Amino acid sequence: TRRSAMDGAPARSVDGVRCARIACERQIDAMDAAVVAAVDARVLGRAATAARSALAGDWSRAGGRCAFHRGCWEALAAGNGTRLDKRLCHAAAETLETHDALPDIEAAARQAAAMVAAAEGRAVVFTGAGLSVAAGIPDYRGTAGVDTRADLGQEDQDAEDTPYTALEPTVGHRVLAAWDRRGVVSYTATQNCDGLHDRAGTKRSRLTELHGSVFVEACEACGREYRRIYEVDAFSTDCSSEPWFEECNACGWGHYTGRRCSRKGCRGRLKDTIVNFGDPLHDTACGGLPAAEAAFSHAEVCLAIGSSLLVSPAAELPLRAGAVVVVGLQDTPLDERAAVRARCEADVFLALTDRCLPEARGRAHKAKRPRAD
């Protein structure tokens, strides 16, 4: 019996999508492994009309993205199509997203739940842009990512202008916040600046926003932090015409917001906490890197979710834990070292793992009970 939806978890984004291989065109369902490819329209545009009409894949899908059953994709990539099909497959390989079939995701979720349960509170979480895609924020290297679209000549000027104040935490954010409250995990570190872990309820004393938060500004003199209900970087990043603007020597952007510290006797200037390329990570602001390093060094397992694990030094954190579970749609440098590797969306995996946790914790508790003589 084929299952079209996942019991107790959100459906995958590819479920119900028609396969782009013309000889197939069957809908992808939860029992199917699948891939999503970003189409380089420039390759299509340079091809002759006759070559385009002979294609074995329907590469003209709206949005510049095509979904295939994994077997159909592998057939095209191996040359079981036209030369143009193979060129398009090659062009898409670097950003290809792979979706495991439901049974494989469930098996990985059970393994991860067992590891988290056995860690008895010494589990940590590392999250990247992939966790917030479901909230409406594009990632960077995915098939619809900001960098991918730019590389393919599809750059959207509004891609990073998402109004963060209007966003809501995803299923995954809420699962992780619940784990934080129950002591299932001891610490969360995120590369995201969207503030959604905080809004979901993860305790700030157990959270490091490694690259800052769009809602937090800090005093450069005394270090006091101010968490706002508006985006503070709107007053700093590229406000070059404002009298308080100073170009940062490290990143080339601005950090001062034009406001001052309200602490008595201070009145220091406030800066946003956004870490741009070239900026050092914070020592104390938004949790600070040292606190995350200490927590991860004492952890038995780290769940690395929705991150490319390419941006250092943040991406080095998961390796401080005893074991790593990697969850994401694209290849990462830690795949070969992962104790569990799940190729799926964050919400799907976290919902399934949460469903498996009670039984896993029961098994872990039973295994620890001393046997009667």
Side-chain angles (χ1 to χ4, degrees):
T1 301
R2 304 188 70 82
R3 292 155 66 181
S4 59
M6 297 185 183
D7 301 328
R12 303 178 307 170
S13 60
V14 292
D15 292 340
V17 177
R18 182 167 52 86
C19 179
R21 189 184 185 195
I22 294 171
C24 175
E25 294 195 324
R26 178 172 57 82
Q27 280 192 347
I28 297 167
D29 74 17
M31 299 299 287
D32 297 316
V35 301
V36 177
V39 181
D40 192 335
R42 296 167 299 186
V43 174
L44 271 178
R46 290 192 296 265
T49 302
R52 293 199 301 269
S53 63
L55 283 167
D58 179 5
W59 296 94
S60 58
R61 297 284 175 89
R65 301 165 74 226
C66 292
F68 299 84
H69 295 97
R70 187 182 293 174
C72 291
W73 169 265
E74 291 172 349
L76 289 181
N80 294 332
T82 68
R83 291 176 62 185
L84 182 54
D85 283 302
K86 193 170 183 177
R87 285 174 58 200
L88 287 163
C89 288
H90 178 76
E94 187 174 341
T95 59
L96 194 71
E97 295 174 344
T98 302
H99 296 254
D100 288 336
L102 171 60
D104 295 327
I105 300 172
E106 289 179 326
R110 284 192 294 270
Q111 285 181 270
M115 293 173 67
V116 170
E120 296 185 316
R122 294 185 299 279
V124 292
V125 177
F126 181 87
T127 68
L131 179 64
S132 293
V133 168
I137 304 174
D139 60 12
Y140 293 94
R141 298 171 183 83
T143 54
V146 175
D147 292 348
T148 301
R149 291 181 64 83
D151 290 344
L152 296 178
Q154 305 171 354
E155 187 171 6
D156 183 350
Q157 295 299 319
D158 297 324
E160 293 193 271
D161 291 339
T162 305
Y164 291 101
T165 52
L167 301 178
E168 292 294 330
T170 66
V171 169
H173 288 104
R174 297 189 188 283
V175 167
L176 294 174
W179 289 358
D180 173 76
R181 288 192 300 271
R182 303 201 309 261
V184 175
V185 298
S186 61
Y187 208 87
T188 300
T190 183
Q191 296 172 292
N192 301 336
C193 304
D194 50 41
L196 290 176
H197 281 293
D198 178 64
R199 291 186 62 187
T202 296
K203 192 172 179 61
R204 293 174 189 170
S205 62
R206 296 189 290 268
L207 171 67
T208 288
E209 294 162 305
L210 293 159
H211 296 157
S213 169
V214 297
F215 298 107
V216 178
E217 55 188 333
C219 176
E220 68 172 351
C222 72
R224 184 173 184 176
E225 295 180 31
Y226 296 83
R227 192 167 289 265
R228 311 296 192 183
I229 61 172
Y230 50 83
E231 299 170 44
V232 301
D233 62 323
F235 300 91
S236 59
T237 302
D238 55 0
C239 299
S240 56
S241 62
E242 301 295 346
W244 60 80
F245 182 85
E246 291 183 21
E247 183 176 302
C248 174
N249 292 329
C251 70
W253 298 98
H255 288 294
Y256 291 104
T257 64
R259 289 178 286 275
R260 288 189 175 270
C261 182
S262 60
R263 176 173 283 170
K264 186 176 181 180
C266 183
R267 299 295 295 164
R269 293 191 296 174
L270 301 186
K271 301 174 72 173
D272 70 32
T273 53
I274 301 301
V275 176
N276 299 307
F277 282 104
D279 289 330
L281 269 62
H282 299 296
D283 287 333
T284 57
C286 296
L289 176 61
E293 289 177 330
F296 277 59
S297 295
H298 288 91
E300 291 192 7
V301 60
C302 169
L303 273 63
I305 301 166
S307 173
S308 66
L309 298 171
L310 290 170
V311 181
S312 293
E316 297 165 11
L317 278 174
L319 289 175
R320 289 175 172 265
V324 182
V325 174
V326 177
V327 180
L329 297 173
Q330 296 176 303
D331 293 343
T332 82
L334 296 191
D335 287 355
E336 297 299 320
R337 302 171 70 172
V340 178
R341 181 61 170 100
R343 296 180 180 274
C344 62
E345 289 146 319
D347 280 3
V348 173
F349 182 81
L350 287 169
L352 285 170
T353 305
D354 188 52
R355 191 182 69 178
C356 295
L357 259 180
E359 181 178 351
R361 295 183 84 177
R363 289 180 182 273
H365 178 72
K366 185 176 180 181
K368 285 191 66 178
R369 285 188 305 189
R371 291 185 177 181
D373 292 335

